[in-house]
Amino acid sequence: MIKTLHAFRPLHAFRLFLAGLLASLALGAHAQLSIEITGTGASRFPVIIPIFENEGRLPQSVTDVVRADLERSGLFTLIDTGPLPMPESVPPDLAAVRGRGADAVLTGSLIPMADGRYDVRFRLFDAHKQQELGAMSLPMSPAQNRLVGHRIADFVYEKLTGLPGYFATRIAYVIKSGPNFELQVADADGMNAATALRSREPIISPSWSPDGQRLAYVSFEQKKPIVYVHTLATGQRRVVANFKGSNSAPSWSPDGSQLAVVLTKDGQSQLYAIGADGSGVRRLAQSSGIDTEPFWGADGHIYFTSDRGGSPQIYRIPAGGGSAQRVSFEGNYNVSPRLSFDGKLLAFITRNAGRFQVAVQDVATRQTTILTDSARDESPSFAPNGRMILYATDTGGRGVLSAVSTDGRIRQRLTVQAADVREPAWGPQIR
Amino acid sequence: MKRLLPLAAALVLIPTAPVHAQLFGGDTEARNQVFQLRQEVQGQIETTSRGQLELAMQNEQMRAELARLRGQIELLTNEVETLKQRQKDFYVDLDARLRRFESGAAGNASAAPASGDAAPAAPAAATAPPQAPAPAPAPASANTESADYQGALALLKNGKHKDAQTAFERFVARYPNGNFTAGAHFWAGNSALQARDVASANRHFKTVIDKYPKENVAPDAMLGLANSQQAMNDAAGARRTLQSLLERYPQSNAAQVARQRLNAR
Amino acid sequence: MKKLVLPALLALTLAACSSTGPENGAASVQDRGAGVATVTAGSASGSGIAALTDPNNILSKRSVFFDFDSFVIKQEARALVEAHARFLVQNPQMNMLVQGNTDERGSREYNLALGQKRADVVKQALMLLGAKESQIESVSLGEEKPRCEDRTENCYAENRRGDMLYTGEF
């Protein structure tokens, strides 16, 4: 659940009135992201996901969600077997499954429970090895069809690819519509979008807490950049950094207790760590140039952008202090570093012949690959399994979100009707 | 509003004039001097301030220039590190290729001089001939030097030990301070050993050990020297050489071989 | 409450008679425009303030422009900065907000830092010319409040600037 807030200047009657007026005109939570697949993997798993037994009793389908998730991932081809369910309790005819050209099949049933809920039971089979890959059961109320569908898709994805799925995660992003800004949170498939904050001033740099319950971000509602931490369920907000000058670029520590932020209270933009409650500021690095865009990696390093070498490049420092080490060497504009959750890949934006594109570096070998061919990419962020990178880009002068797999093969585009979408951040995997 | 401005100014100014007059008792000269002084000081302050601003801007330009230089150092340092790594990779690659050729040569040269230690095993353990064929374009002279070196290596590879020895000796005479000179001595020693010219082999290995102790081939040259000493039935000398190899280059692959041999005896 | 109303009135008056002063983007202009209808004139503006809006007075100009990737105040902007520094010295009760801006290309956060640096350079210059540090705050708007929204070099140049705003104007 997300509570929507309206940002306004305290005690300012005019603004309060205007904010209320404009909020009523502003686009509502009905604005959905629609996702379009623009590229797929080279080899895709052919799978059969038949309708579950008793699924017809639900107002909204579960297996439709599973199929859409798998299809959208670009790693699966769905083979349609018509409207006949394959109950979880009956061993499937795997020879027939192979005959349809499928490598795997999911059987499932909904067992009604006394409290009106259902027990969703399902099994996954490998048609070639002729063996069961796993089984699970999830209780659900009829309204939870999407969440349960995402969880089942995660299960299938993990069993067949060996990587955790990312369908039951959330994304945050900012929509600009005329003079209005909205910080929204949606499911990874773009559905269930809800507005966390409305403002007439810009909102940038949302960053998810590791527990997925809070967002840190920068809001200009007080006419200058200030860092807030916002608890999504309650709508409670807390100013964590409002020092003289600019306060920006929050990034959570892996344990969720601290934030790396950029402050200008002592001069130029420099890196600091601050408690998630705004307490105990401590300086992380010192340079004679601009240091910004910290990303607190799970490898114990803080990656950041600095122009100490005459052009913006990516450096890293140990989170506990130490000397900075340069990480990017190609080109004269490398910004917005983000480390994958396993610490193996570094995504960033590079300027390549005047175009800003998403690049990924293998941290161990320093091998760097440019993944996109667009010109105005910004704000990359990894899916929790490290396989996809979500980023903001531009088509026809309008901001859209795109996702690309780390091998560059799978591409998706997420758009909102008649609005600019920007500043995406992919939330963590909550288990 | 604008029309009111002169009026307001007048209101402020009118009462002040008589006050001044009373204070200075009509001494217009003193008054003028104070006024003049104030003007001068004001002018000086402004000039100084401008100078400071100019300095601040120059400072900013210097800071930017310094940052650019820092960036260049970062790039060059990274480049050096990358090149070092690449060079190492080339060594390993060349070594692997030579190893293949040598194991073939050992099969042919069954009548090789050295005892059970099979002389070719020594160079096979080499971690690093000093230079590798660089794919990157090099200056013309370096090109011919490299080509000559390659030519001599090819002779050795084809089992023409005497010719290879001659070629390497001609090479070191022509490029006494070249990029591959240490390597050429090393391979000349190995060729000589194969061609049973043990005295020459001895000499070449000693040249490497004495003149190029820091080259990667130096530990292997000591191994080669031990081999030629063995071939001259100087078992004690060979043993001393191996022990000295252990002391000087304890981390080298050649030292491992030496350790094995010393233990085997 | 009075404290809040006065600057607001001042702002409204300034906005109403200013045509060359910098604008905070469409949002704030609308606010002021909406306010003008309800609040009538007769506000007390000090005699020094008129100079800030008189198009013939250099003080009505508020923007310092920067070259691409540069933080040096160009020679042609020095007279403007000097004039504002003199105004601040002569009017110690006046405070100033310097807002740094950048063009839209590249990372928002990096641009925020660049904007801050531009604002700081203007603030530093004003202080070297005699203004007190307590009179000036420098903040960045980064690329978030472009004055010009086309994707042309001219437009980008227009957005690479620091704006000097006085009490009541922000």
Side-chain angles (χ1 to χ4, degrees):
Chain A
M1 250 359 268
I2 288 171
K3 273 204 171 162
T4 303
L5 280 183
H6 301 263
F8 53 83
R9 271 185 114 169
L11 299 176
H12 201 305
F14 265 141
R15 240 171 245 291
L16 193 105
F17 168 71
L18 277 168
L21 185 72
L22 281 152
S24 58
L25 302 173
L27 74 169
H30 60 269
Q32 294 286 6
L33 283 172
S34 60
I35 300 186
E36 170 197 344
I37 303 158
T38 54
T40 58
S43 60
R44 303 209 274 164
F45 290 98
V47 291
I48 294 173
I49 312 284
I51 189 168
F52 284 176
E53 184 187 18
N54 292 333
E55 196 179 339
R57 298 188 188 186
L58 293 176
Q60 305 279 339
S61 163
V62 171
T63 50
D64 280 354
V65 176
V66 181
R67 279 187 286 266
D69 280 349
L70 295 177
E71 178 96 70
R72 208 177 45 251
S73 76
L75 291 176
F76 301 91
T77 315
L78 289 153
I79 295 169
D80 188 15
T81 51
L84 278 180
M86 296 171 72
E88 175 265 341
S89 53
V90 181
D93 178 354
L94 293 178
V97 167
R98 273 203 312 278
R100 303 295 299 261
D103 289 352
V105 63
L106 183 76
T107 64
S109 299
L110 274 68
I111 318 292
M113 300 200 292
D115 59 2
R117 295 193 301 162
Y118 294 90
D119 187 25
V120 187
R121 297 180 187 171
F122 49 95
R123 287 176 195 281
L124 185 68
F125 295 90
D126 183 319
H128 288 282
K129 291 183 189 151
Q130 311 237 14
Q131 65 186 34
E132 187 183 307
L133 295 173
M136 241 177 120
S137 109
L138 294 169
M140 72 169 276
S141 67
Q144 288 176 310
N145 68 306
R146 299 204 68 83
L147 179 61
V148 168
H150 294 321
R151 293 229 183 273
I152 299 170
D154 279 347
F155 172 83
V156 174
Y157 183 100
E158 179 158 3
K159 292 290 174 202
L160 294 179
T161 68
L163 290 168
Y166 52 78
F167 306 111
T169 55
R170 294 197 286 181
I171 57 173
Y173 50 89
V174 174
I175 286 183
K176 179 170 191 268
S177 172
N180 301 302
F181 296 84
E182 288 192 21
L183 174 63
Q184 292 197 344
V185 170
D187 291 348
D189 61 359
M191 302 297 280
N192 281 334
T195 300
L197 177 69
R198 285 200 176 105
S199 178
R200 300 210 61 207
E201 298 295 338
I203 305 164
I204 62 169
S205 307
S207 168
W208 286 92
S209 64
D211 64 4
Q213 305 295 307
R214 289 164 295 170
L215 280 176
Y217 53 79
V218 177
S219 169
F220 286 70
E221 66 203 57
Q222 311 260 11
K223 299 287 178 183
K224 61 177 260 187
I226 292 171
V227 178
Y228 294 80
V229 167
H230 186 132
T231 305
L232 292 172
T234 62
Q236 184 211 3
R237 297 205 309 160
R238 187 201 279 269
V239 171
V240 292
N242 180 11
F243 297 93
K244 197 164 145 246
S246 303
N247 310 266
S248 67
S251 168
W252 293 82
S253 64
D255 68 0
S257 69
Q258 294 177 84
L259 291 162
V261 291
V262 171
L263 307 177
T264 65
K265 69 187 187 75
D266 303 317
Q268 287 206 64
S269 301
Q270 295 279 288
L271 306 186
Y272 297 79
I274 192 166
D277 58 357
S279 66
V281 194
R282 108 185 125 90
R283 191 136 179 187
L284 285 170
Q286 201 124 21
S287 82
S288 61
I290 288 169
D291 287 354
T292 187
E293 300 189 302
F295 182 87
W296 203 317
D299 66 350
H301 281 95
I302 291 170
Y303 292 76
F304 62 101
T305 305
S306 176
D307 74 348
R308 58 183 71 191
S311 65
Q313 298 290 346
I314 295 160
Y315 296 76
R316 68 175 192 184
I317 43 160
S323 57
Q325 180 192 7
R326 183 157 162 180
V327 174
S328 64
F329 293 97
E330 286 161 49
N332 56 9
Y333 193 101
N334 295 302
V335 298
S336 309
R338 307 280 192 278
L339 194 70
S340 62
F341 291 76
D342 64 6
K344 288 186 180 150
L345 295 174
L346 183 74
F348 57 96
I349 300 295
T350 187
R351 187 171 61 201
N352 170 31
R355 288 139 57 95
F356 297 88
Q357 301 176 325
V358 179
V360 70
Q361 185 187 85
D362 182 313
V363 175
T365 65
R366 292 257 175 90
Q367 186 74 38
T368 298
T369 320
I370 294 178
L371 297 179
T372 60
D373 48 14
S374 30
R376 292 175 164 268
D377 302 345
E378 287 182 19
S379 310
S381 107
F382 275 101
N385 73 354
R387 201 178 146 79
M388 300 292 290
I389 297 169
L390 180 67
Y391 61 98
T393 187
D394 177 286
T395 45
R398 201 153 67 83
V400 296
L401 305 187
S402 281
V404 62
S405 60
T406 47
D407 62 7
R409 284 210 171 108
I410 301 164
R411 285 155 197 272
Q412 302 165 359
R413 184 172 303 142
L414 300 78
T415 44
V416 174
Q417 284 287 303
D420 246 321
V421 204
R422 59 206 19 212
E423 300 290 281
W426 205 320
Q429 181 73 266
I430 311 300
R431 297 228 173 243
Chain B
M1 199 172 76
K2 256 182 237 162
R3 240 177 279 155
L4 286 172
L5 182 62
L7 185 64
L11 282 170
V12 172
L13 289 174
I14 286 164
T16 58
V19 171
H20 277 270
Q22 280 161 9
L23 254 175
F24 291 98
D27 186 350
T28 51
E29 201 190 333
R31 209 166 57 210
N32 281 343
Q33 274 181 5
V34 168
F35 181 72
Q36 221 177 339
L37 204 62
R38 207 164 59 183
Q39 292 264 311
E40 270 171 31
V41 169
Q42 190 63 37
Q44 270 172 17
I45 288 174
E46 276 182 19
T47 313
T48 312
S49 297
R50 275 189 202 132
Q52 278 183 333
L53 179 58
E54 186 55 44
L55 273 176
M57 293 298 108
Q58 282 174 11
N59 195 20
E60 167 54 33
Q61 274 164 336
M62 302 241 304
R63 199 207 55 79
E65 188 57 34
L66 204 63
R68 269 191 287 276
L69 290 173
R70 185 201 162 106
Q72 272 168 18
I73 290 171
E74 287 171 347
L75 279 180
L76 290 173
T77 310
N78 179 58
E79 220 156 275
V80 167
E81 274 164 20
T82 313
L83 284 175
K84 266 191 199 158
Q85 185 56 46
R86 272 183 59 160
Q87 205 174 18
K88 219 180 197 175
D89 293 347
F90 284 140
Y91 283 148
V92 171
D93 176 57
L94 179 64
D95 179 47
R97 283 191 280 154
L98 285 172
R99 212 183 280 251
R100 278 200 297 280
F101 129 72
E102 277 154 2
S103 52
N108 294 339
S110 52
S115 57
D117 307 295
T127 44
Q131 262 294 356
S141 67
N143 266 344
T144 55
E145 189 191 343
S146 165
D148 288 355
Y149 190 67
Q150 294 292 319
L153 272 177
L155 289 171
L156 181 61
K157 216 183 269 190
N158 293 328
K160 297 182 174 153
H161 302 127
K162 195 71 217 166
D163 294 351
Q165 185 189 343
T166 315
F168 280 120
E169 280 168 353
R170 211 178 295 137
F171 182 95
V172 296
R174 192 168 167 197
Y175 308 105
N177 299 307
N179 293 323
F180 307 97
T181 312
H185 277 294
F186 175 72
W187 292 119
N190 279 302
S191 309
L193 204 54
Q194 297 282 348
R196 305 188 189 203
D197 181 356
V198 183
S200 296
N202 227 343
R203 185 166 41 81
H204 285 298
F205 288 134
K206 279 187 168 151
T207 308
V208 176
I209 295 160
D210 296 341
K211 277 184 74 182
Y212 306 102
K214 292 203 166 139
E215 285 286 348
N216 285 320
V217 287
D220 291 298
M222 294 190 80
L223 211 51
L225 178 63
N227 287 336
S228 56
Q229 285 165 326
Q230 192 71 42
M232 293 189 328
N233 290 321
D234 179 11
R239 196 178 173 77
R240 270 197 305 279
T241 306
L242 291 175
Q243 271 159 351
S244 146
L245 164 57
L246 280 185
E247 280 161 28
R248 282 212 235 167
Y249 307 104
Q251 305 297 327
S252 65
N253 288 346
Q256 277 180 19
V257 178
R259 220 167 276 132
Q260 282 166 11
R261 283 198 204 171
L262 286 170
N263 290 341
R265 276 167 205 179
Chain C
M1 199 57 210
K2 201 158 194 184
K3 255 191 194 158
L4 284 170
V5 172
L6 266 176
L9 293 182
L10 186 57
L12 292 168
T13 328
L14 282 171
C17 53
S18 158
S19 56
T20 54
E23 295 166 356
N24 272 350
S28 22
V29 169
Q30 267 189 17
D31 284 6
R32 284 166 195 159
V36 173
T38 38
V39 181
T40 40
S43 62
S45 65
S47 54
I49 304 292
L52 296 175
T53 53
D54 176 1
N56 294 320
N57 192 317
I58 189 169
L59 292 174
S60 69
K61 299 199 171 29
R62 305 300 185 77
S63 299
V64 178
F65 295 95
F66 291 86
D67 285 341
F68 179 71
D69 204 20
S70 167
F71 307 98
V72 170
I73 296 176
K74 293 185 272 188
Q75 280 300 339
E76 61 252 42
R78 301 268 172 100
L80 176 64
V81 175
E82 280 175 26
H84 282 284
R86 212 174 297 125
F87 181 83
L88 284 169
V89 169
Q90 288 162 1
N91 298 273
Q93 83 284 4
M94 294 295 284
N95 289 330
M96 179 185 270
L97 182 70
V98 184
Q99 293 176 329
N101 298 272
T102 68
D103 66 46
E104 61 170 37
R105 294 171 294 180
S107 148
R108 286 178 192 277
E109 280 288 355
Y110 184 63
N111 283 340
L112 194 66
L114 290 181
Q116 182 68 37
K117 199 162 167 182
R118 290 192 174 128
D120 287 344
V121 166
V122 173
K123 175 179 169 174
Q124 187 202 19
L126 290 164
M127 281 162 54
L128 285 172
L129 294 166
K132 284 192 302 238
E133 175 163 26
S134 58
Q135 280 179 289
I136 313 166
E137 184 179 13
S138 55
V139 298
S140 179
L141 300 178
E143 64 173 272
E144 306 304 327
K145 294 278 186 174
R147 188 190 281 179
C148 177
E149 300 209 34
D150 298 335
R151 288 175 178 173
T152 60
E153 282 306 323
N154 281 345
C155 214
Y156 293 150
E158 175 89 6
N159 290 335
R160 285 193 300 269
R161 64 177 202 286
D163 286 334
M164 297 175 284
L165 306 180
Y166 286 98
T167 313
E169 295 176 348
F170 50 86

